[in-house]
Amino acid sequence: MALPKVTVVGAGQVGATAAFLMAIKGLADIVLIDVADGIPQGKALDMMHSRSVEKFASTVTGSNDYAATAGSDVVVVTAGLPRKPGMTRDDLLAANGTIVRSVISQAAEASPDAVFVCVTNPLDVMTYLAWKVSGLPSDRVLGMGGVLDSARFAYFIAQATGAPISQIDALVMGAHGDAMVPVPRLSTVDGKPLTDILPADEVAEVVRRTVFGGAEVVSFLKTGSAFYAPAASVTSMVSAILNDTGAVMPSCVLLDGQYGISDVYLSVPAALGRQGVVSIPEAPLDAAELETLRESAAGVSDAVAAIGIEG
Ligand code: APR
């Protein structure tokens, strides 16, 4: 049976790692695209050399030409500059905006029926830009932020409680940045709310580590930003889309009145399936959590206004 086709634009740290994870899982035939001549070709060939070891069915092809991406089912966008120490994700706004515009217009022309998953930062603004530039319905354009932030939250909860990671269900909503909104009350360890398990000061510390989780990785690496957990996170979203599972994952989606927020891309729990965003079931936030989420949304709106996005 023919595998679905996934294009990964950007054959750098995040894109190549995601392509390799998707290949090992046999999720799809993968096309890696990059502006750098030889990089996607070389990395694709290297991955194909591992095929007899890992025994995966996927093929991985590298190219600099969007013709190779035609008819993709999913397009993952990781093209762009990563953060350096001291930079916020917003510092990347102008440079990555130009890159995402160019990538989306070419990729959407080659694959008009694809679901687009943006990874490039600043994520919420880039996903909004991708939606506008693509001209596609919003359910087919989404971003990877909440899955990663929630994975980091889960890691720090596991560290603080000693519970196995498999028992932890962590939820981070909102902007993929310093204004993210971890929700300890709706995050559970073996089904029990985190707020019932840890004292308030320890919950606050877990939240703090989560918010700065990405920056902590950047401070170690110095020459780039995180890529293993981002790649794993986007791979899990692509898997839910291709396999039409309807899994609810915190995803950067266009809000249209949910949580009293409109015309902003922001991470909230969303059911993912073959057509992209299937539904956006609202999490039962209390008044304070809702207020924090709205503040987070306002920050994204301001950043979108600053970059002056039109269709
Ligand atoms: N088209 C295609 N690829 C491009 C373009 C473009 N217009 N511009 C840059 N690239 C490629 C680069 O050549 C590079 O190979 O994007 C790749 C980015 O890779 P890295 O520099 O390794 O960055 P990475 O760590 O993968 O992060 C990429 O994802 O998580 C976010 O903040 C991160 O915005 C950054 C993006």
Side-chain angles (χ1 to χ4, degrees), residues 6 92 97 101 122-123 152 215 287:
V6 172
L92 302 171
R101 272 182 196 279
L123 192 266
R152 288 180 173 146

Short mmCIF file of all heavy atoms in Angstrom, two decimals, residues 6 92 97 101 122-123 152 215 287:
data_model
loop_
_atom_site.label_atom_id
_atom_site.label_comp_id
_atom_site.label_asym_id
_atom_site.label_seq_id
_atom_site.Cartn_x
_atom_site.Cartn_y
_atom_site.Cartn_z
N VAL A 6 4.69 13.24 2.98
CA VAL A 6 4.91 14.39 3.87
C VAL A 6 6.12 15.17 3.37
O VAL A 6 7.18 14.58 3.12
CB VAL A 6 5.16 13.93 5.33
CG1 VAL A 6 5.59 15.12 6.20
CG2 VAL A 6 3.91 13.29 5.92
N LEU A 92 13.01 36.77 16.18
CA LEU A 92 13.12 36.11 14.88
C LEU A 92 12.06 36.58 13.89
O LEU A 92 12.05 36.16 12.73
CB LEU A 92 12.95 34.58 15.07
CG LEU A 92 13.94 33.89 16.01
CD1 LEU A 92 13.50 32.45 16.24
CD2 LEU A 92 15.34 33.92 15.42
N GLY A 97 9.61 35.69 9.10
CA GLY A 97 8.41 36.07 8.37
C GLY A 97 8.64 36.02 6.87
O GLY A 97 7.83 35.49 6.09
N ARG A 101 6.76 33.27 4.39
CA ARG A 101 5.98 33.72 3.23
C ARG A 101 6.40 32.98 1.97
O ARG A 101 5.57 32.48 1.21
CB ARG A 101 6.23 35.22 2.98
CG ARG A 101 5.33 36.14 3.72
CD ARG A 101 5.67 37.59 3.35
NE ARG A 101 5.09 38.49 4.32
CZ ARG A 101 3.81 38.88 4.31
NH1 ARG A 101 3.00 38.45 3.37
NH2 ARG A 101 3.34 39.68 5.23
N PRO A 122 8.74 33.03 15.57
CA PRO A 122 7.78 32.89 16.68
C PRO A 122 6.49 32.21 16.20
O PRO A 122 5.81 32.73 15.31
CB PRO A 122 7.54 34.33 17.13
CG PRO A 122 7.92 35.18 15.96
CD PRO A 122 8.95 34.43 15.18
N LEU A 123 6.19 31.10 16.81
CA LEU A 123 5.27 30.12 16.26
C LEU A 123 3.87 30.66 15.98
O LEU A 123 3.33 30.45 14.89
CB LEU A 123 5.21 28.96 17.26
CG LEU A 123 4.55 27.65 16.87
CD1 LEU A 123 3.12 27.56 17.26
CD2 LEU A 123 4.73 27.31 15.39
N ARG A 152 7.34 19.40 27.91
CA ARG A 152 8.32 19.93 28.88
C ARG A 152 7.70 20.00 30.27
O ARG A 152 8.34 19.66 31.27
CB ARG A 152 8.81 21.31 28.42
CG ARG A 152 9.73 21.20 27.21
CD ARG A 152 10.23 22.56 26.74
NE ARG A 152 11.22 22.39 25.69
CZ ARG A 152 11.38 23.22 24.66
NH1 ARG A 152 10.60 24.29 24.54
NH2 ARG A 152 12.30 23.00 23.75
N ALA A 215 14.56 28.07 26.61
CA ALA A 215 15.70 28.98 26.81
C ALA A 215 16.84 28.25 27.52
O ALA A 215 18.02 28.52 27.25
CB ALA A 215 15.26 30.20 27.61
N ALA A 287 -11.91 31.34 35.94
CA ALA A 287 -11.87 32.75 35.52
C ALA A 287 -10.43 33.27 35.42
O ALA A 287 -10.07 33.97 34.47
CB ALA A 287 -12.69 33.61 36.48
#
